[in-house]
């Protein structure tokens, strides 16, 4: 069963965010992850939104996704992530 995460982001420091994004995307590949799409919020059609940007990253399965998130390489980036932006990451599985 494939899996993906959606990250919503409010950037605090654009320069640090670019550094974080570049380094984080490099950590996906060894777990089979790939960026599906990213975008900037234009309008809220229903509900509320606290973030201006979003991205979707797909993985072969939930084990690969959680393996990536818990990996030493990604965990080392969390302090930079915290300085760069406020983020919400939510993992989803794709039903069979």
């Amino acid at each position: 069963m494939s899996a993906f995460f959606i990250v919503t982001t409010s950037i605090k420091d654009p320069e640090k965010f670019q550094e974080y994004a570049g380094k984080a995307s490099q950590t996906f590949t060894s777990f089979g992850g790939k960026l599906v799409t990213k975008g900037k919020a234009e309008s809220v059609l229903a509900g509320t939104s606290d973030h201006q940007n979003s991205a979707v990253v797909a993985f072969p399965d939930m084990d690969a996704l959680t393996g990536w998130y818990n990996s030493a390489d990604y965990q080392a980036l969390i302090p930079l992530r915290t300085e760069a932006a406020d983020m919400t990451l939510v993992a989803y599985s794709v039903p069979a």
Side-chain angles (χ1 to χ4, degrees), residues 3 15 19 21 23 25 30 36 39 48-50 53 58 62-63 79-80:
E15 187 173 301
E19 179 184 357
K23 290 179 177 181
S25 65
S30 61
V36 175
T48 61
S49 177
D50 295 332
N53 300 287
M62 192 58 73
D63 287 340
L80 177 59

Side-chain angles (χ1 to χ4, degrees), residues 3-7 28 34-39 54-58 92:
F4 62 96
F5 72 83
I6 297 175
V7 57
F28 300 156
K34 65 176 186 172
L35 177 67
V36 175
T37 192
K38 61 183 179 178
S54 66
V56 178
V57 178
Y92 299 87

